[in-house]
Amino acid sequence: MIDTDSKVVEELLKGCLQNSREAQRKLYQHFYGYAMSICVRYSKDDEEAKEVLNDGFMKVFTKLKQYDQKKPFKGWVRRIMINTALDNYRHNLKHYHGVDLEDASPVADGADIVGNLNYEYLISLIQQLSPAYKAVFNLYVIDGYNHEEIAEILGISSGTSKSNLSKARANLREILKKSRVDELEQYV
């Protein structure tokens, strides 16, 4: 069984399996926004997100024969995009220049302001995190993985995953506070 736009997606998949460039283009367009929303969360900027997206779609097209049509196609695409983004993260880890994970100190603040933010603003805040914090935050908070799964995916301990999540949340609170102060200074 195929997901939401079952007939359209089913026809596009048939065309893609026959190596139809037009079907591939339409499938890419159909899932572009969804896939890009995943890639942006794991990338340092829009350019990197586009690279991850295109790499992910190459995997979709080359591994399409492995797709189990009894499961939702959208979920399969999601998994490929997340894995491609994580592969990119691991590959580029040595090139990221961020704050050492142990140097970032958590900030205690009981306010739960994240629930009041819109999606785009939250993504812009997450983009400001170091790559390690961003990966753990996305996997745990947004994609629903547990710390043991994150540890296995990223090749870290579950304790490091928990620590990175805590520090990511603290950094997000600090970033949010700073952005609110900057916002207020505009009007003073």
Side-chain angles (χ1 to χ4, degrees), residues 13 15 23 32-33 41 44 55 83 100 112-114 148 165:
L13 291 177
Y32 177 87
R41 292 194 326 255
K44 69 178 180 195
D55 290 348
N83 288 336
D100 186 12
D112 182 20
I113 47 183
V114 175
E148 288 73 27
L165 177 62

Side-chain angles (χ1 to χ4, degrees), residues 73-183:
F73 183 71
K74 192 173 187 178
W76 189 71
V77 168
R78 176 181 177 264
R79 176 64 104 183
I80 287 177
M81 292 301 159
I82 289 172
N83 288 336
T84 303
L86 292 173
D87 288 345
N88 182 68
Y89 162 76
R90 283 187 288 267
H91 181 297
N92 290 321
L93 185 59
K94 61 186 170 267
H95 301 295
Y96 290 129
H97 301 286
V99 177
D100 186 12
L101 299 180
E102 300 307 319
D103 291 341
S105 59
V107 178
D109 184 4
D112 182 20
I113 47 183
V114 175
N116 298 328
L117 303 175
N118 69 31
Y119 179 79
E120 292 81 17
Y121 187 58
L122 181 58
I123 294 300
S124 74
L125 294 176
I126 294 169
Q127 290 290 358
Q128 296 177 47
L129 293 173
S130 73
Y133 292 173
K134 186 181 346 179
V136 171
F137 184 86
N138 281 318
L139 286 168
Y140 187 85
V141 174
I142 298 176
D143 294 317
Y145 288 88
N146 65 41
H147 289 292
E148 288 73 27
E149 292 169 324
I150 295 168
E152 186 177 324
I153 290 168
L154 297 180
I156 58 177
S157 71
S158 62
T160 301
S161 175
K162 291 173 185 176
S163 173
N164 285 359
L165 177 62
S166 174
K167 291 174 182 175
R169 286 178 169 159
N171 285 351
L172 282 173
R173 281 188 214 100
E174 195 61 35
I175 292 166
L176 187 58
K177 279 184 188 176
K178 184 179 178 342
S179 72
R180 297 235 173 165
V181 168
D182 291 345
E183 206 173 278

